[in-house]
Amino acid sequence: MRIARIDLHHLVLPLAEPFAISGGVMRERRSLIVALHDDEGHTGWGESPPFELPFYSEETLAGAEHLLREVLIPRVRGREFPSVEAFDAALRVGVRGNHFARSGLETAYWDLEAHRRGIGLSTLLAERAGAPAAAMIQCGVALGIPADRSPSSLARSIESALREGYRRVKIKVAPGWDDVPVEAATDALKGTGIPLTVDANGAYEWPIHQANLHRMDQAGLLYIEQPLAPDELLAHTELSQTLKTPICVDETLRDARAAQEIAALDGPKVWNLKVHRMGGLTEALRVYSIGRSFGARLWAGTMPESGLGSQAAIALAALPGFVYPSDVEPSARWYGAGRDVIELTMSPAGRMAVPATSIANLLDRERLAAALRD
Protein backbone atom coordinates (compact mmCIF):
# COMPACT_ATOMS: atom_id res chain seq x y z
CA MET A 1 0.00 0.00 0.00
CA ARG A 2 1.66 3.22 -1.17
CA ILE A 3 0.81 6.57 0.41
CA ALA A 4 0.20 8.66 -2.71
CA ARG A 5 -1.02 11.88 -1.07
CA ILE A 6 -1.52 13.31 2.42
CA ASP A 7 -3.82 16.21 3.31
CA LEU A 8 -3.62 18.13 6.59
CA HIS A 9 -6.49 20.34 7.77
CA HIS A 10 -7.45 22.44 10.80
CA LEU A 11 -10.79 21.43 12.35
CA VAL A 12 -12.68 23.86 14.60
CA LEU A 13 -15.82 22.82 16.48
CA PRO A 14 -17.26 25.30 19.02
CA LEU A 15 -18.29 23.61 22.28
CA ALA A 16 -21.90 23.80 23.38
CA GLU A 17 -20.60 25.08 26.74
CA PRO A 18 -17.12 25.66 28.24
CA PHE A 19 -15.43 22.60 29.73
CA ALA A 20 -13.14 23.17 32.73
CA ILE A 21 -10.63 20.78 34.28
CA SER A 22 -7.99 21.40 36.96
CA GLY A 23 -5.49 22.73 34.37
CA GLY A 24 -7.58 24.93 32.11
CA VAL A 25 -10.81 25.76 30.27
CA MET A 26 -11.74 24.75 26.72
CA ARG A 27 -14.37 26.71 24.72
CA GLU A 28 -13.89 25.18 21.29
CA ARG A 29 -12.26 22.03 20.00
CA ARG A 30 -9.40 22.75 17.64
CA SER A 31 -7.55 19.79 16.17
CA LEU A 32 -5.72 18.60 13.08
CA ILE A 33 -7.33 16.26 10.57
CA VAL A 34 -5.15 13.99 8.42
CA ALA A 35 -6.27 12.24 5.23
CA LEU A 36 -4.11 9.53 3.63
CA HIS A 37 -4.76 8.58 0.00
CA ASP A 38 -3.47 5.53 -1.85
CA ASP A 39 -3.12 5.02 -5.61
CA GLU A 40 -6.48 3.27 -5.94
CA GLY A 41 -8.83 5.97 -4.65
CA HIS A 42 -9.02 4.84 -1.02
CA THR A 43 -8.77 7.32 1.85
CA GLY A 44 -7.98 6.94 5.54
CA TRP A 45 -8.82 9.62 8.10
CA GLY A 46 -7.23 10.45 11.44
CA GLU A 47 -7.25 13.22 14.04
CA SER A 48 -4.42 14.80 16.02
CA PRO A 49 -6.06 16.45 19.05
CA PRO A 50 -3.56 18.07 21.44
CA PHE A 51 -4.70 21.26 23.15
CA GLU A 52 -3.46 24.69 22.13
CA LEU A 53 -1.80 25.19 25.52
CA PRO A 54 0.24 22.52 27.39
CA PHE A 55 -2.04 22.11 30.42
CA TYR A 56 -2.80 18.44 29.67
CA SER A 57 0.51 17.36 28.14
CA GLU A 58 3.73 18.97 26.95
CA GLU A 59 2.58 18.72 23.33
CA THR A 60 0.61 21.58 21.76
CA LEU A 61 -1.47 21.96 18.61
CA ALA A 62 1.10 24.27 16.98
CA GLY A 63 3.93 21.88 17.78
CA ALA A 64 2.03 18.91 16.38
CA GLU A 65 1.27 20.79 13.17
CA HIS A 66 4.91 21.76 12.72
CA LEU A 67 6.12 18.20 13.23
CA LEU A 68 3.50 16.80 10.87
CA ARG A 69 4.20 19.30 8.07
CA GLU A 70 7.97 19.45 8.33
CA VAL A 71 8.96 15.94 9.45
CA LEU A 72 6.34 13.20 9.58
CA ILE A 73 4.31 13.78 6.42
CA PRO A 74 7.38 14.18 4.16
CA ARG A 75 8.82 11.03 5.75
CA VAL A 76 5.95 8.74 4.73
CA ARG A 77 4.46 10.44 1.65
CA GLY A 78 5.17 8.48 -1.53
CA ARG A 79 6.39 5.43 0.38
CA GLU A 80 5.02 1.92 0.54
CA PHE A 81 4.63 0.05 3.85
CA PRO A 82 4.03 -3.69 4.34
CA SER A 83 2.05 -3.26 7.58
CA VAL A 84 0.71 -0.75 10.07
CA GLU A 85 3.49 -1.78 12.45
CA ALA A 86 6.08 -0.77 9.82
CA PHE A 87 4.27 2.54 9.31
CA ASP A 88 4.23 3.18 13.06
CA ALA A 89 7.94 2.37 13.31
CA ALA A 90 8.74 4.88 10.55
CA LEU A 91 7.02 7.65 12.51
CA ARG A 92 9.15 6.96 15.61
CA VAL A 93 12.64 7.24 14.10
CA GLY A 94 14.38 10.23 15.68
CA VAL A 95 11.12 11.45 17.23
CA ARG A 96 10.84 11.35 21.02
CA GLY A 97 7.31 11.68 22.39
CA ASN A 98 5.00 13.81 20.22
CA HIS A 99 2.32 11.17 20.58
CA PHE A 100 -0.54 13.34 19.35
CA ALA A 101 1.24 14.31 16.14
CA ARG A 102 2.09 10.69 15.36
CA SER A 103 -1.41 9.48 16.21
CA GLY A 104 -3.05 11.58 13.51
CA LEU A 105 -1.10 9.79 10.78
CA GLU A 106 -1.05 6.40 12.48
CA THR A 107 -4.81 6.14 13.01
CA ALA A 108 -5.38 7.38 9.45
CA TYR A 109 -3.24 4.48 8.19
CA TRP A 110 -5.42 2.00 10.12
CA ASP A 111 -8.52 3.59 8.60
CA LEU A 112 -7.00 3.49 5.11
CA GLU A 113 -6.52 -0.25 5.52
CA ALA A 114 -10.12 -0.55 6.74
CA HIS A 115 -11.38 1.40 3.72
CA ARG A 116 -9.38 -0.76 1.31
CA ARG A 117 -10.85 -3.92 2.83
CA GLY A 118 -14.40 -2.62 3.27
CA ILE A 119 -14.48 -3.21 7.04
CA GLY A 120 -14.48 -1.15 10.23
CA LEU A 121 -11.63 -0.27 12.58
CA SER A 122 -13.05 -2.57 15.25
CA THR A 123 -12.70 -5.58 12.94
CA LEU A 124 -9.05 -4.72 12.24
CA LEU A 125 -8.29 -4.33 15.94
CA ALA A 126 -10.08 -7.58 16.79
CA GLU A 127 -7.94 -9.41 14.20
CA ARG A 128 -4.74 -8.05 15.75
CA ALA A 129 -5.92 -8.72 19.30
CA GLY A 130 -7.16 -12.21 18.48
CA ALA A 131 -10.47 -11.51 20.21
CA PRO A 132 -13.99 -10.63 19.02
CA ALA A 133 -15.18 -7.03 19.08
CA ALA A 134 -18.45 -6.05 20.73
CA ALA A 135 -21.23 -4.49 18.71
CA MET A 136 -21.98 -1.88 21.39
CA ILE A 137 -20.00 -0.03 24.07
CA GLN A 138 -21.19 1.60 27.29
CA CYS A 139 -20.88 5.37 27.72
CA GLY A 140 -20.02 7.41 30.78
CA VAL A 141 -20.34 11.17 31.18
CA ALA A 142 -17.40 13.43 32.09
CA LEU A 143 -18.51 16.62 33.84
CA GLY A 144 -16.18 19.58 34.13
CA ILE A 145 -15.85 22.00 37.02
CA PRO A 146 -18.95 24.28 36.92
CA ALA A 147 -18.19 27.86 35.98
CA ASP A 148 -19.84 29.07 39.19
CA ARG A 149 -18.27 26.28 41.29
CA SER A 150 -21.71 25.59 42.65
CA PRO A 151 -22.65 22.12 43.95
CA SER A 152 -26.23 22.73 42.85
CA SER A 153 -25.06 23.35 39.26
CA LEU A 154 -23.11 20.09 39.39
CA ALA A 155 -26.12 18.23 40.78
CA ARG A 156 -28.32 19.51 37.96
CA SER A 157 -25.78 18.32 35.39
CA ILE A 158 -25.73 14.88 37.00
CA GLU A 159 -29.52 14.68 37.05
CA SER A 160 -29.55 15.56 33.34
CA ALA A 161 -26.95 12.86 32.62
CA LEU A 162 -29.02 10.28 34.46
CA ARG A 163 -32.08 11.14 32.37
CA GLU A 164 -30.02 10.63 29.21
CA GLY A 165 -28.94 7.14 30.29
CA TYR A 166 -25.21 7.38 31.01
CA ARG A 167 -23.79 4.32 32.79
CA ARG A 168 -21.13 6.13 34.84
CA VAL A 169 -20.63 9.69 36.10
CA LYS A 170 -17.17 11.27 36.28
CA ILE A 171 -16.55 14.67 37.82
CA LYS A 172 -13.41 16.79 37.66
CA VAL A 173 -11.76 17.63 40.99
CA ALA A 174 -8.82 19.71 42.21
CA PRO A 175 -7.49 20.95 45.57
CA GLY A 176 -10.20 23.27 46.86
CA TRP A 177 -12.84 21.61 44.67
CA ASP A 178 -13.17 18.07 45.96
CA ASP A 179 -15.07 17.56 49.22
CA VAL A 180 -18.05 19.68 48.14
CA PRO A 181 -18.50 18.27 44.60
CA VAL A 182 -17.99 14.67 45.74
CA GLU A 183 -20.68 15.09 48.38
CA ALA A 184 -23.05 16.76 45.90
CA ALA A 185 -22.46 14.06 43.30
CA THR A 186 -22.87 11.25 45.82
CA ASP A 187 -26.20 12.69 46.92
CA ALA A 188 -27.38 13.10 43.32
CA LEU A 189 -26.52 9.47 42.51
CA LYS A 190 -27.93 7.94 45.68
CA GLY A 191 -30.16 4.97 44.92
CA THR A 192 -29.46 4.98 41.17
CA GLY A 193 -26.81 2.25 41.05
CA ILE A 194 -24.72 4.47 38.74
CA PRO A 195 -21.07 4.61 39.90
CA LEU A 196 -19.18 7.83 40.55
CA THR A 197 -15.54 8.47 39.65
CA VAL A 198 -13.36 11.57 40.03
CA ASP A 199 -10.59 12.84 37.75
CA ALA A 200 -7.90 15.23 39.00
CA ASN A 201 -5.73 15.42 35.86
CA GLY A 202 -2.67 15.31 38.10
CA ALA A 203 -3.64 18.25 40.33
CA TYR A 204 -2.66 16.71 43.70
CA GLU A 205 0.75 16.17 45.30
CA TRP A 206 1.65 13.22 47.50
CA PRO A 207 1.98 13.33 50.44
CA ILE A 208 1.08 17.06 50.63
CA HIS A 209 -2.57 16.43 49.69
CA GLN A 210 -2.95 13.06 51.33
CA ALA A 211 -5.73 14.38 53.59
CA ASN A 212 -7.78 15.35 50.50
CA LEU A 213 -7.21 11.96 48.92
CA HIS A 214 -8.02 10.07 52.11
CA ARG A 215 -11.31 11.93 52.37
CA MET A 216 -12.20 10.97 48.81
CA ASP A 217 -11.22 7.41 49.70
CA GLN A 218 -14.20 7.32 52.07
CA ALA A 219 -16.73 8.35 49.40
CA GLY A 220 -17.36 4.93 47.83
CA LEU A 221 -15.93 5.91 44.43
CA LEU A 222 -15.43 3.39 41.66
CA TYR A 223 -11.88 4.75 41.21
CA ILE A 224 -9.83 7.95 41.51
CA GLU A 225 -8.37 8.92 38.13
CA GLN A 226 -4.89 10.46 37.76
CA PRO A 227 -4.66 12.12 41.19
CA LEU A 228 -0.92 12.90 40.84
CA ALA A 229 1.38 14.31 38.15
CA PRO A 230 2.03 12.10 35.10
CA ASP A 231 5.63 11.27 36.06
CA GLU A 232 4.71 10.27 39.64
CA LEU A 233 4.76 6.54 38.92
CA LEU A 234 6.13 5.43 42.29
CA ALA A 235 3.78 7.77 44.18
CA HIS A 236 0.79 6.44 42.21
CA THR A 237 1.90 2.92 43.10
CA GLU A 238 2.21 3.83 46.79
CA LEU A 239 -1.19 5.50 46.68
CA SER A 240 -2.79 2.47 45.04
CA GLN A 241 -1.42 0.30 47.84
CA THR A 242 -2.50 2.76 50.55
CA LEU A 243 -6.09 3.66 49.63
CA LYS A 244 -8.95 1.21 49.41
CA THR A 245 -10.35 3.03 46.35
CA PRO A 246 -8.65 1.85 43.14
CA ILE A 247 -6.34 4.34 41.44
CA CYS A 248 -6.73 4.88 37.69
CA VAL A 249 -3.83 6.06 35.54
CA ASP A 250 -4.41 8.30 32.53
CA GLU A 251 -1.62 10.74 31.65
CA THR A 252 0.90 8.40 33.34
CA LEU A 253 0.03 5.63 30.87
CA ARG A 254 1.95 7.18 27.97
CA ASP A 255 3.07 4.02 26.20
CA ALA A 256 3.90 0.33 26.50
CA ARG A 257 7.07 1.11 28.48
CA ALA A 258 5.03 2.89 31.15
CA ALA A 259 2.53 0.01 31.13
CA GLN A 260 5.32 -2.50 31.74
CA GLU A 261 6.69 -0.43 34.62
CA ILE A 262 3.26 -0.16 36.25
CA ALA A 263 2.83 -3.93 36.01
CA ALA A 264 6.35 -4.62 37.34
CA LEU A 265 5.70 -2.36 40.34
CA ASP A 266 2.26 -3.91 40.94
CA GLY A 267 0.87 -0.42 40.56
CA PRO A 268 -2.60 0.93 39.76
CA LYS A 269 -4.92 -1.62 38.18
CA VAL A 270 -7.43 0.67 36.48
CA TRP A 271 -6.14 1.95 33.14
CA ASN A 272 -7.54 4.69 30.93
CA LEU A 273 -6.42 3.94 27.37
CA LYS A 274 -6.41 7.06 25.21
CA VAL A 275 -5.43 6.22 21.67
CA HIS A 276 -4.07 9.65 20.70
CA ARG A 277 -2.18 10.19 23.95
CA MET A 278 -0.29 6.95 23.26
CA GLY A 279 0.62 7.73 19.66
CA GLY A 280 -2.02 5.64 17.92
CA LEU A 281 -3.70 2.27 17.77
CA THR A 282 -0.55 0.18 17.35
CA GLU A 283 0.83 1.35 20.70
CA ALA A 284 -2.63 1.19 22.27
CA LEU A 285 -2.79 -2.51 21.35
CA ARG A 286 0.62 -3.08 22.98
CA VAL A 287 -0.64 -1.41 26.16
CA TYR A 288 -3.87 -3.41 25.90
CA SER A 289 -1.94 -6.68 25.79
CA ILE A 290 0.17 -5.75 28.82
CA GLY A 291 -2.91 -4.62 30.73
CA ARG A 292 -4.75 -7.87 30.03
CA SER A 293 -1.78 -9.91 31.27
CA PHE A 294 -1.49 -7.72 34.37
CA GLY A 295 -5.19 -8.02 35.16
CA ALA A 296 -5.88 -4.30 34.74
CA ARG A 297 -9.47 -3.12 34.40
CA LEU A 298 -9.59 -1.09 31.21
CA TRP A 299 -11.71 1.68 29.75
CA ALA A 300 -11.33 4.09 26.82
CA GLY A 301 -10.86 7.79 27.35
CA THR A 302 -11.08 10.76 24.99
CA MET A 303 -9.60 14.26 24.81
CA PRO A 304 -12.49 14.72 23.67
CA GLU A 305 -12.04 14.38 19.93
CA SER A 306 -14.52 14.98 17.15
CA GLY A 307 -16.70 12.11 15.99
CA LEU A 308 -13.98 11.40 13.42
CA GLY A 309 -11.19 10.99 15.96
CA SER A 310 -13.50 9.14 18.35
CA GLN A 311 -13.75 6.21 15.93
CA ALA A 312 -10.39 4.91 17.16
CA ALA A 313 -11.51 5.00 20.81
CA ILE A 314 -14.84 3.33 20.00
CA ALA A 315 -13.09 0.51 18.14
CA LEU A 316 -10.62 0.01 21.01
CA ALA A 317 -13.37 0.02 23.65
CA ALA A 318 -15.12 -2.81 21.79
CA LEU A 319 -12.33 -5.25 22.71
CA PRO A 320 -12.65 -7.70 25.64
CA GLY A 321 -11.24 -6.35 28.91
CA PHE A 322 -12.79 -2.89 28.62
CA VAL A 323 -14.99 -3.33 31.65
CA TYR A 324 -15.89 0.25 32.54
CA PRO A 325 -17.92 2.72 30.43
CA SER A 326 -15.86 4.83 28.08
CA ASP A 327 -15.67 8.63 27.97
CA VAL A 328 -16.98 8.61 24.39
CA GLU A 329 -20.20 10.60 24.50
CA PRO A 330 -22.87 11.71 22.01
CA SER A 331 -21.77 14.55 19.75
CA ALA A 332 -24.64 16.75 20.94
CA ARG A 333 -23.18 16.73 24.46
CA TRP A 334 -20.03 18.51 23.30
CA TYR A 335 -20.96 20.43 20.15
CA GLY A 336 -24.75 20.63 20.04
CA ALA A 337 -26.96 18.70 17.65
CA GLY A 338 -26.09 18.50 13.97
CA ARG A 339 -22.57 19.96 14.09
CA ASP A 340 -20.10 17.09 14.47
CA VAL A 341 -18.47 15.72 11.33
CA ILE A 342 -19.56 12.22 12.38
CA GLU A 343 -22.62 12.37 14.60
CA LEU A 344 -22.20 10.06 17.60
CA THR A 345 -25.45 8.98 19.27
CA MET A 346 -26.27 7.02 22.41
CA SER A 347 -29.26 4.82 23.18
CA PRO A 348 -31.50 5.53 26.21
CA ALA A 349 -29.68 2.60 27.86
CA GLY A 350 -26.36 4.43 27.61
CA ARG A 351 -24.87 2.40 24.75
CA MET A 352 -23.20 3.42 21.51
CA ALA A 353 -23.01 1.30 18.37
CA VAL A 354 -19.59 0.24 17.08
CA PRO A 355 -19.41 1.09 13.36
CA ALA A 356 -18.79 -1.78 10.95
CA THR A 357 -17.38 0.49 8.23
CA SER A 358 -14.49 2.91 7.74
CA ILE A 359 -14.48 6.61 8.56
CA ALA A 360 -14.80 7.67 4.91
CA ASN A 361 -18.24 6.06 4.83
CA LEU A 362 -19.34 7.80 8.05
CA LEU A 363 -18.22 11.38 7.38
CA ASP A 364 -20.72 14.15 6.79
CA ARG A 365 -18.88 15.99 4.02
CA GLU A 366 -20.89 19.22 4.31
CA ARG A 367 -20.25 19.51 8.03
CA LEU A 368 -16.57 18.66 7.51
CA ALA A 369 -16.20 21.39 4.90
CA ALA A 370 -17.91 23.90 7.20
CA ALA A 371 -15.61 23.01 10.14
CA LEU A 372 -12.29 23.11 8.27
CA ARG A 373 -10.07 26.19 8.65
CA ASP A 374 -7.28 25.96 6.08
Side-chain angles (χ1 to χ4, degrees):
M1 180 164 69
R2 192 179 81 92
I3 309 301
R5 190 175 94 246
I6 302 176
D7 301 323
L8 182 64
H9 308 280
H10 285 266
L11 182 76
V12 180
L13 291 171
L15 295 182
E17 59 183 31
F19 185 71
I21 66 174
S22 61
V25 180
M26 184 169 60
R27 292 180 172 82
E28 60 184 6
R29 193 60 178 109
R30 291 179 173 265
S31 62
L32 301 167
I33 298 298
V34 180
L36 301 186
H37 307 270
D38 68 7
D39 290 310
E40 301 171 9
H42 301 288
T43 305
W45 296 85
E47 183 170 358
S48 176
F51 294 119
E52 293 176 88
L53 297 175
F55 59 81
Y56 176 82
S57 74
E58 302 92 335
E59 197 172 355
T60 64
L61 191 66
E65 181 180 6
H66 175 78
L67 190 67
L68 281 163
R69 289 193 187 279
E70 302 300 324
V71 179
L72 298 180
I73 289 176
R75 178 179 293 181
V76 299
R77 185 173 47 214
R79 290 184 58 189
E80 192 169 321
F81 296 91
S83 66
V84 67
E85 289 81 9
F87 185 83
D88 177 65
L91 298 177
R92 294 168 175 267
V93 177
V95 176
R96 181 171 292 177
N98 289 277
H99 302 83
F100 287 109
R102 290 190 284 112
S103 71
L105 279 167
E106 198 270 358
T107 53
Y109 190 95
W110 278 87
D111 187 56
L112 178 58
E113 175 66 16
H115 194 221
R116 287 168 60 91
R117 293 178 53 186
I119 58 178
L121 282 174
S122 63
T123 302
L124 278 182
L125 289 182
E127 289 176 358
R128 290 296 203 287
M136 305 282 286
I137 64 169
Q138 291 191 83
C139 300
V141 69
L143 299 175
I145 299 172
D148 60 359
R149 294 220 165 196
S150 162
S152 59
S153 295
L154 178 63
R156 284 194 295 272
S157 295
I158 292 173
E159 290 161 3
S160 175
L162 292 175
R163 288 193 297 270
E164 292 173 32
Y166 286 100
R167 306 311 303 161
R168 182 223 64 211
V169 170
K170 177 170 82 175
I171 63 171
K172 299 289 184 175
V173 295
W177 177 257
D178 42 29
D179 292 345
V180 168
V182 168
E183 182 179 359
T186 301
D187 288 344
L189 290 171
K190 194 170 296 180
T192 66
I194 300 298
L196 173 66
T197 71
V198 298
D199 182 9
N201 292 109
Y204 294 89
E205 292 187 37
W206 181 260
I208 295 174
H209 292 117
Q210 63 176 307
N212 305 64
L213 295 167
H214 276 290
R215 286 195 297 272
M216 284 193 283
D217 191 33
Q218 306 303 312
L221 304 171
L222 185 63
Y223 52 78
I224 299 172
E225 182 180 352
Q226 197 65 41
L228 312 176
D231 58 356
E232 293 272 14
L233 181 53
L234 290 177
H236 273 111
T237 297
E238 179 183 350
L239 194 61
S240 71
Q241 296 168 357
T242 301
L243 302 184
K244 62 183 180 182
T245 305
I247 299 300
C248 170
V249 283
D250 176 2
E251 290 95 321
T252 295
L253 194 63
R254 297 168 64 93
D255 50 28
R257 183 181 290 111
Q260 289 169 337
E261 291 176 349
I262 291 168
L265 291 168
D266 195 24
K269 286 201 169 182
V270 180
W271 291 7
N272 175 355
L273 273 65
K274 283 184 179 172
V275 173
H276 301 90
R277 187 203 59 229
M278 293 187 288
L281 285 164
T282 306
E283 190 72 2
L285 280 180
R286 296 186 185 111
V287 174
Y288 169 77
S289 178
I290 296 166
R292 292 281 277 166
S293 297
F294 177 50
R297 298 182 293 281
L298 310 176
W299 61 280
T302 70
M303 291 303 295
E305 301 88 7
S306 72
L308 188 159
S310 294
Q311 296 305 310
I314 294 170
L316 189 66
L319 294 177
F322 282 79
V323 298
Y324 294 140
S326 77
D327 269 355
V328 181
E329 300 182 43
S331 298
R333 147 88 166 108
W334 294 109
Y335 311 114
R339 293 181 179 175
D340 202 352
V341 296
I342 296 177
E343 193 77 10
L344 305 181
T345 59
M346 183 179 74
S347 76
R351 296 180 181 274
M352 186 175 290
V354 177
T357 188
S358 63
I359 292 173
N361 296 322
L362 300 170
L363 271 174
D364 186 308
R365 304 292 173 155
E366 290 186 6
R367 293 183 193 173
L368 178 65
L372 294 184
R373 301 287 187 273
D374 291 336

